[in-house]
Amino acid sequence: MPEPVVQSPRTVYDVFEGLTAATSNQEDITKSKNGTIKRMKCIPQGGNWQDLPDHLKTKSMKVKRNTQDNVYKRLKWDQPSCTIVNPRKCLLTHPEEHRILSVRKCARFYSQYQMILYFVAAANCKRNPCPDGKCRCSTSKRGYFIL
């Protein structure tokens, strides 16, 4: 039986390394509302919605069983990311900036380094990448760009 290959997990820093403003989809970021940004500012690296003061929690957050741990999750530079299900809905937050991750940064967590999907469709398709890189929107036109 062959020996298993064990690799240490990539940290958030490792995944983001080498990205610049010129990288495609790097500037494709959903603009959050003021109340959302106010909440993001209260969350430390590695924290989540549970770090919010009570007056900033939503009704569903006050009933803990209704809120997942990845909601308002702020990534930490020296740790791997949490599982990315939908970065916009869970408000997966940049380690230092008070915003959710760009489309490109999310794609990098899926190991799509050399290839990024380009969608001519609703913004929803582009911002909700799937781990296998396939858009589930039936109205989209898909293309691949080799970077």
Side-chain angles (χ1 to χ4, degrees), residues 71-115:
V71 173
Y72 281 97
K73 178 70 176 174
R74 184 176 292 275
L75 298 176
K76 197 169 181 181
W77 284 118
D78 61 351
Q79 292 180 353
S81 171
C82 60
T83 301
I84 301 176
V85 179
N86 183 325
R88 288 187 336 154
K89 287 186 180 176
C90 71
L91 298 164
L92 190 61
T93 309
H94 188 279
E96 294 173 357
E97 299 173 25
H98 305 303
R99 62 173 179 81
I100 66 169
L101 299 181
S102 68
V103 169
R104 183 58 175 164
K105 286 182 179 173
C106 288
R108 278 207 156 190
F109 281 112
Y110 293 133
S111 297
Q112 296 173 353
Y113 279 97
Q114 300 304 318
M115 187 184 301

Side-chain angles (χ1 to χ4, degrees), residues 14-28:
D14 296 334
V15 172
F16 291 178
E17 190 174 31
L19 288 174
T20 67
T23 306
S24 64
N25 295 107
Q26 179 54 27
E27 298 298 315
D28 188 359

Side-chain angles (χ1 to χ4, degrees), residues 128-140:
N128 297 326
C130 298
D132 60 2
K134 295 178 183 172
C135 179
R136 302 300 192 264
C137 297
S138 60
T139 59
S140 70

Side-chain angles (χ1 to χ4, degrees), residues 11 14 17-18 28 54 60-61 94 115 120-121 123 134 144 147:
T11 66
D14 296 334
E17 190 174 31
D28 188 359
D54 284 340
S60 65
M61 286 177 187
H94 188 279
M115 187 184 301
V120 181
K134 295 178 183 172
Y144 294 95
L147 300 176

Side-chain angles (χ1 to χ4, degrees), residues 39-67:
R39 288 183 188 100
M40 288 177 178
K41 288 180 178 181
C42 294
I43 299 171
Q45 282 192 30
N48 64 10
W49 68 272
Q50 295 175 21
D51 294 299
L52 291 172
D54 284 340
H55 73 279
L56 288 178
K57 289 181 180 175
T58 64
K59 288 178 187 176
S60 65
M61 286 177 187
K62 291 177 182 176
V63 181
K64 186 176 190 276
R65 69 179 184 277
N66 291 339
T67 306

